Amino acid sequence: MKKVLLAFCCVFTGLLQAQTTLTVGDIAVIGYNYDNPDEIKFVNLVDIASGTQIKFTDNGWTGTALSTTEGTDTWTASAAFTKGTVHTFLVTSMAMSTSGDQIFVYQGAATSPAFIYGLSTTAWITGTISSNTSRLPSALTTGSSALAFATKRDNGNYNIVVNNGSKATLLSSISNSANWTTTDTRITSFPAWTFSFGGLAAEPATQPTALSFSGVKTHAMGVDFTAASPAPDGYIMLRANNVLPNADPVDGVTYMQGDQVGNAKVALVGTATSVFIESVIANTTYGFRIYSYKGAGTQINYKQTSPLSGTVTSGATGMSNYYSTINAEVNTFISDLQSRIRSPYTKISYDNYDETMMTHFAFRDSTGGQKVANCIYSGQIYAYTPPFAWTPISPFSREHTWCVSWTPTNATSGTNEYCDHHHLFPVNQNNANAVRNNHPLGEVVTIISSYLDGTYGLDANGNNVYEPRDAHKGDAARALLYMSLRYNGVGGFNWTFNNLNNSILPALNEDPQSIATLLQWHAQDPPSNYEIARNDYIYSIQNNRNPLIDHPEWISYINFNNLTYIPAPPVQPNSPNSGSFTPVNAERMELLVWPNPMNESGYISIDVDKASQANCLMVSMTGQIVLTKILNLNSGNNTIEFDASTLTSGAYIVVVETNGQREFIRFIVE
């Protein structure tokens, strides 16, 4: 009897020794049915020995212990299983609730579980748990060893059938809810998953150094760095807006330009140590991180420690001294401004709009090497694989904001006005461009048709109008006003709105284009960083600018009915109506307004190199002067407080002038 007992003990000890002790992430749940019979699909991501025992429970984690009100089932490996094996486990003690429940995978005692993986059909909570909810154990991490769904579904499965990569790569993919299909209908046929493991290349020894930026503009910049030594197989550059990238590339995952990594997009992959980035906008800070890597495909290995990092802010404007000869307070202002924006001017072919605007500015990088363009009227997002193509290959066409039928010149593709990039935008041809047709722009009150955020219908006066999305209204207004200003009188043709509304549009059986609406849109939707950058890009190829983007306040000096000059109220030093102003020289002037937006008190900061006297003017975007003040500035920073509570909601411009130098800054009152 003693010998039999001894033999049994030896066998039992052998079974215990054969078990594989698992760690976090060695097992991952890849499918479940909470609709009876309860079923769990899981994969082992390491080799496990025959006899290995793994526990599955729907008891919730309180923060310190597993609850004891639900069930636990034990799965025992019937053989040795190589990593990547998919298992089906029909549980009996667990009774998974269709009202929400969780699955924890662990080894050891329930009183001190060694957690391996966790899945919840509802979000992890931080307070008191119930039979349908749970906290997330600190040993597990959402996105790698844990998964929770924002919307509860009774059944679900990981939907990527073929999987190859490192263990970390596979866990990252499995634990991403975007890679799952969930349903309230029981799953009767799960995918035939395959999991394989590619070995990683050796990690690079060093990172690149000496990050620098060149040619920083509002719409483009160069990013350069010094190669790592010894040389890796390549580099991956991540770019985020306003902050540094917050996540590292994952080993075993091959990325393409435009792919998302945390809060960043991939800006460069390969051996180059310099990249020219064009998809930027004005006045925006960009954060960069650059990593060395070795290997390719599923063997790629990124050096994730101490990547090369840095930030740069794009330019505020590219106008420089373009308007140095323009003075809005003289009677020749309009003719002077027209001369300036007419010459120099380089006609860029309408047919080349895809090679210019769509290739170098009006796009964003997207995943999988694709790019994205927007319909400026409706807001439609269109993803494409470069090169960009127009309809019928894509749904997009080039929209003339000033309709070709409106042109007094009967413009053709060979004329300047037909090709002028300042009023050309990408739009959906059938659902936006064709719907807008020859109609004026306006505010729709009675909708006839709509596509996304673009609407066609009747305005408050019963006129047929097309209304673009809010984000484009100011842009469209400034494009129309620019065209009138730029081309009026050229070749003897009349581009005023009087001629448009009294002659051209009636001949087309169209209602008038409301200037008041355009001025209102100009005020409500002031030039954005995107529009400023677009103006600069067009300047770089067409050699002229839209002055209403650069100087929105100049709109108050122009009567667009007939393009005559409106003398602005003079700004005087001591009283609104007397005296003259002779300022002291100031070599440099920088303005800041805060808070922005504001609703009560506001502050203007004026920083100058030398003491000086200055005129300060505050103008609404409709041209109304709401504040005039003479300032005696000290050298350095000067701060002036004003009462913003007296201002109506909208956009304003602060203009400060001294010794012929004028600076302005925009702000919003809520």
Side-chain angles (χ1 to χ4, degrees), residues 16 28 194 205 217 323 378 410 514 544 551 572 599 602 631 634 658:
L16 288 177
T194 61
K217 303 176 182 179
Y323 301 103
S378 69
N410 297 312
S514 168
N544 81 326
H551 286 281
Q572 306 297 350
N599 53 32
L631 304 174
N634 297 316
T658 179

Side-chain angles (χ1 to χ4, degrees), residues 140-161:
L140 303 179
T141 303
T142 297
S144 59
S145 56
L147 169 66
F149 297 101
T151 302
K152 181 202 71 63
R153 292 289 184 265
D154 298 348
N155 316 285
N157 64 261
Y158 173 59
N159 60 24
I160 300 178
V161 178

Side-chain angles (χ1 to χ4, degrees), residues 455-475:
T455 307
Y456 167 63
L458 305 179
D459 67 9
N461 296 318
N463 295 324
N464 287 278
V465 296
Y466 183 83
E467 181 176 355
R469 62 192 177 112
D470 289 346
H472 186 68
K473 287 179 177 176
D475 308 49

